[in-house]
Each structure stands twice: as structure tokens, then as C-alpha cells.
Amino acid sequence: MKDTNNLLEMNQENNGLGKVEIAPEVIEVIAGIAASEIEGVASMRGNFAAGVVERLGKKNHGKGVKVDLTEEGIIIEVYCVMIFGVSIPTVAQKIQDNIRQALLNMTALEVNEVNIHVVGVQFETKTQDVEIDQEM
């Protein structure tokens, strides 16, 4: 694996067909979806521009994920909001495991670090609908 022009070149047997390169944005999307799948994650943190784009109808699956390509390997930073009442260490471990497994299955890339940053807690507010039966 080499870092060439911000692309990851995958090590493969030379079969004469060419090479496969993966952009860091692809890793961000895979990691973002994998993190969002975990029960206990309320949302992923994005920036202002991502919020505006989502309001316009386009889903940003890489939101809340930052990928660093270093000499030591791939480092993924995940910024998320947890649901109040969940065990944060347990949910964070599940996020790390799910991201590692998803990237291994889809890209065959090993990740050096998956760092979870909990940037908020969401309190669930449930509104109860009250039905009033009126008899005439």
C-alpha cells in the first residue's frame, strides 16, 4: 500500500489487468455508514456546509469521519453523538469493530487506528399522542 496523490494503492498479485486505487473519501463513506449502523449512535457530527447540503436533500455518508494517510498506516477519526443512557465504551467498541470489519470486507485494507470522539449526547424526547374520544 502506497500513498500516491492521496490515493491508496492496493497490494495485489500482478495479474496484468492494472491497479486498483481507493480515494480517502471512499474510506470516509464506508466508515461513516458503518458507524451510523451501530445502535446507540444518534448522529454523526458534520460541519456547516455538510448540514446545508443535507437540508438540500443530498445525504453525506462521510459526515463526521476524517481519514489520515500516514507513514504508519490509516488513521480514522470518528465524531459522533450518542443517545443518552447507552454505555459509551460499549458503543464505541462496536463502532471500532464495525468500521474495521467493513473496511476489511470491502477494500481489504487494514486500519491502524479508529479513534472515537463523542461530541454530544442526545436526549430522546418522545411526544405522546393523546386520543380523545368524543361521544355524541
Side-chain angles (χ1 to χ4, degrees), residues 1-113:
M1 177 178 60
K2 289 190 255 181
D3 180 6
T4 326
N5 297 330
N6 288 334
L7 292 175
L8 293 172
E9 187 175 314
M10 298 177 61
N11 288 332
Q12 298 179 330
E13 293 178 18
N14 189 358
N15 57 12
L17 296 175
K19 61 183 176 180
V20 176
E21 294 181 336
I22 299 175
E25 293 80 16
V26 173
I27 296 171
E28 288 176 3
V29 169
I30 293 169
I33 292 171
S36 298
E37 290 174 343
I38 301 301
E39 188 174 333
V41 175
S43 64
M44 303 294 288
R45 185 193 85 178
N47 56 24
F48 177 75
V52 170
V53 169
E54 279 193 0
R55 285 188 192 95
L56 295 175
K58 185 177 180 191
K59 186 79 172 149
N60 182 6
H61 293 291
K63 178 173 84 170
V65 178
K66 181 180 174 230
V67 174
D68 288 326
L69 308 177
T70 66
E71 293 290 328
E72 294 81 34
I74 303 169
I75 298 174
I76 298 176
E77 306 287 339
V78 179
Y79 300 87
C80 59
V81 177
M82 299 282 186
I83 296 174
F84 178 77
V86 300
S87 169
I88 291 176
T90 302
V91 174
Q93 179 69 49
K94 288 179 183 178
I95 293 170
Q96 290 171 322
D97 293 342
N98 204 35
I99 289 174
R100 284 182 193 275
Q101 193 61 47
L103 283 170
L104 191 59
N105 291 344
M106 296 180 72
T107 66
L109 293 173
E110 294 277 344
V111 180
N112 267 21
E113 295 179 18

